[in-house]
Amino acid sequence: MIMGEWGAHQAEVITVHGIYRPRNTTDVVEKPAAHTIATMAPVRTHCAYCALQCAMTLTRAAATPNGSTSLQVSPLDFPTNRGGLCQKGWTAADLLDSPHRLTTPLVRNSRAEPFEPVSWDTALDVVVRGIRSIQSQHGDDAVAVFGGGGLTNEKAYQLGKFARTVLRTKNIDYNGRYCMSSAAAASNRAFGIDRGLPFPLPDLAQTGAVLVMGGNMAETMPPFMQHLAAVRARGGDVVVVDPRRTSTAEQATLHLQPRPGTDLALALGLLHVAFSDGHLDRPYLAERTRGFDEVWRIAAQWWPGRVERETGVPVADLQAAIRAIARGRSGRGAVILTARGVEQHSKGTDTVTALINLSLALGLPGRRHSGFGCVTGQGNGQGGREHGQKADQLPGYRRIDDPAAREHVAAVWGVDPADLPGPGPSAYELLDSLGTAGGPRALLVHGSNLVVSSPRGGRVSERLANLDLLVVCDPFLSETAAQADVVLPVTQWAEEDGTMTNLEGRVIRRRRATDPPEGVRSELDVLTDVAERLGHHGRFSAEPQMVFDELRRASAGGVADYAGITWERIDREGGVFWPCPSEDVPGTARLFADGFPTPDGRAAMVAVDHRPVVEDVDPEYPVYLTTGRNLQHYQSGTQTGRVPALAAALGEPYVEIHPDLAARHDLDDGVRVRVVSRRGAAVGRVRLVTSIRWDTVFMPFHWGGEQAVNQVTNPALDPVSRMPEFKVCAVRLEPVR
Ligand code: SF4
């Protein structure tokens, strides 16, 4: 029986703009008829998509009147979702018997030819022959690996081990680089640890004020909103900073609407106001931090009037925001949260750093019902960056250039530490080097549709075309898979066991509820088979629990220490927070109460200054473009685009434009418009809204081909995190006649 926090809370009946509904209600998506008869015990698991990892049961029912035997989804009461699911979660089971599902390996001799279905033996022979031939001609680093933030912990771990010990390549990175890398880099340098939320999500409801910087949870993870709604219900403040008046901003007590790319100036201005208005926590600064004087030297130069000129946010709003946070702090507490809106910039690390500085100056981290956190996006965005698929990391959040870390992990893997490669390039840099002189000649892709999700997608697509071998593991023929030489059909979500680590750092169980289609294999199985064929006998396992037990040993003593977490314990306790170094101690739900995991126990305040966006508007490209997600779809749309109800709800991208800007371009609501930058163009349908700034357009990134806004976005990289500048570039608008 599942114990712990599962079911420990009563679901609250809250409807937020019709987006989120609690359990036991119907949703906008048609649900199965009530007379369906369960023929399988419900399996408790978590959603296929985002980092909220809403809990649900899956039940196979007898055929409905329309003949469907899909698994039926029912939400569960869990600390993150409290009985709620969004439309994506409700319909997630439709992915399992999608007619678009790949069920046989596909191979072709040249990119000009169509795919041929082949046996697994044939397909893996092609892969192994290709790897051997390319590495013998060009060296180990000529084969690269690209992973994903949706892979289970076991798959992410096995992929990193496979790359470092079988391929012996330094060239491995993953799409989480596009998600959390700026937040991770800033948290590591300030706190000595990167766990998105250093407290359980329900703590949020207890606080008195929340500042949300660049997050739109009402669309990306709707059940999250009940935690913010609870803050407001208790008389607290929710302040949202976003260039768009999003559904989240609609529910705030205060909305600040800066020009895209100016969040860092805004953060410095907020610190300036906090200082001038007497809200700093001087004893906290003295006892728990270092570096404030240098930080203040820069923030002192960002007086409110200057910040207003740079950001467009009125001085009065800056002051009101700080008053709200200070009021909350003196009552129940205050929390500052960041998300991709401020992180996906060429200065994302510094912007998050400035907000960490603000939170430290106010004395929030480690205080009861207070703190600083980053809201993770991808399903296993947290665990995916802890166990070795990132270019500079080994399992347990160890650095690959740390001799002690190499020795520890090499011992678990049974290899010589000297044989482990060093750090490789970041995701975009890796992709941009493919097929170039001295760059990788082969790429293995797991859990990513990188053609759609990478910036300057046209260039990435060209790079893939130059490869000698592209192998893609995917349940569907994504845009990236469509360019491959070999496509391997793999299991998804409810067809596999494993663990995920949600946005709170809580390790949870993904449980198998149905058999995969005939002909489909798990990536653990595929990696094990390829390793065997390459001569690495008995060193890999296709059994997820065995892989997890090895992961525990590899992570032991690391920052992300999973040594004390077992599958049985997760089942018993309803999830276990890392770090958890021993089975005898509880997981660590709340961090920083007694200090920070830095050499001196203090948080480091790092001095950072504002700088302009890499590509500002000019007469040729006079409009800012910002991008993001929307309610119905997830990431590149490989999954949600194939769910009929979601595709019917929104089947193509839109371009949000202020009526004033639209009038200047002679654009009416509903017409098609081409958004053009120096790198490429994307087409969407005009959606006239007054909720966006007059100088900015917004486009979601869930589509490929000519609808892919990442053809347009700028790959300018953050110097620390190597995060691309997804969130702002200069474009012009052209009507599509
Ligand atoms: Fe929950 Fe995210 Fe799934 Fe929606 S997509 S049901 S918010 S986990």
Side-chain angles (χ1 to χ4, degrees), residues 351-592:
T351 301
V352 178
T353 296
L355 291 161
I356 290 174
N357 290 341
L358 175 66
S359 73
L360 291 166
L362 294 169
L364 306 182
R367 287 263 174 82
R368 185 174 157 77
H369 301 152
S370 292
F372 174 88
C374 307
V375 181
T376 303
Q378 291 195 83
N380 198 27
Q382 181 70 55
R385 65 184 188 269
E386 296 165 357
H387 299 300
Q389 61 174 329
K390 192 157 173 267
D392 54 357
Q393 280 180 7
L394 290 172
Y397 224 124
R398 290 181 156 92
R399 291 188 58 88
I400 201 167
D401 56 3
D402 172 2
R406 293 169 67 87
E407 197 167 325
H408 172 87
V409 174
V412 174
W413 287 349
V415 298
D416 186 335
D419 289 342
L420 295 177
S426 72
Y428 184 78
E429 293 165 294
L430 172 60
L431 297 179
D432 198 28
S433 71
L434 297 175
T436 60
R441 309 293 320 166
L443 181 69
L444 314 183
V445 180
H446 295 260
S448 180
N449 186 7
L450 55 91
V451 167
V452 176
S453 60
S454 298
R456 199 174 192 179
R459 166 80 75 92
V460 170
S461 196
E462 285 167 23
R463 294 293 192 242
L464 294 186
N466 289 337
L467 287 170
D468 299 332
L469 178 66
L470 175 60
V471 181
V472 177
C473 283
D474 206 297
F476 301 101
L477 194 68
S478 68
E479 285 80 356
T480 306
Q483 282 196 240
D485 301 289
V486 180
V487 183
L488 302 174
V490 291
T491 51
Q492 53 164 327
W493 179 52
E495 298 158 357
E496 57 193 23
D497 280 306
T499 60
M500 306 281 277
T501 305
N502 75 0
L503 78 173
E504 311 165 282
R506 190 191 309 249
V507 185
I508 54 178
R509 283 271 281 109
R510 170 177 278 190
R511 292 182 182 81
R512 178 172 168 142
T514 186
D515 293 334
E518 186 76 27
V520 167
R521 292 169 67 174
S522 85
E523 274 152 301
L524 292 182
D525 188 18
V526 173
L527 290 170
T528 301
D529 199 338
V530 175
E532 290 282 335
R533 287 166 192 253
L534 286 167
H536 292 257
H537 303 298
R539 294 193 42 244
F540 288 79
S541 171
E543 288 303 319
Q545 194 163 4
M546 286 184 68
V547 176
F548 186 76
D549 284 341
E550 187 183 301
L551 176 161
R552 292 171 56 206
R553 294 198 299 281
S555 76
V559 174
D561 192 333
Y562 281 43
I565 304 175
T566 65
W567 279 23
E568 294 74 19
R569 210 175 151 185
I570 297 171
D571 288 349
R572 206 168 51 241
E573 299 177 22
V576 182
F577 288 89
W578 71 262
C580 183
S582 152
E583 289 184 50
D584 305 328
V585 299
T588 314
R590 295 174 183 83
L591 300 172
F592 313 146

Side-chain angles (χ1 to χ4, degrees), residues 46-56 81 84-90 220-224 629 634:
H46 296 265
C47 177
Y49 303 112
C50 83
L52 200 60
Q53 283 294 288
C54 297
M56 57 174 60
N81 63 308
L85 293 177
C86 74
Q87 295 173 30
K88 298 182 285 284
W90 274 115
T220 57
M221 44 179 69
F224 187 107
R629 288 169 50 193
Y634 179 69

Side-chain angles (χ1 to χ4, degrees), residues 260 615-626 655-658 661-662 664-665 675-678 692-698 712 728-733:
E615 184 180 73
D616 213 336
V617 292
D618 59 23
E620 200 179 351
Y621 297 96
V623 177
Y624 292 110
L625 166 72
T626 190
V655 182
E656 283 189 0
I657 307 181
H658 192 282
L661 183 62
R664 284 212 295 279
H665 288 80
V675 178
V676 186
S677 77
R678 291 177 176 83
I692 194 164
R693 291 173 55 94
W694 59 269
D695 55 2
T696 302
V697 295
F698 168 84
V712 178
V728 58
C729 69
V731 297
R732 66 168 184 262
L733 305 176

Side-chain angles (χ1 to χ4, degrees), residues 20 335 524 534 581 660 719 721:
Y20 155 73
V335 172
L524 292 182
L534 286 167
D660 293 350
S721 67

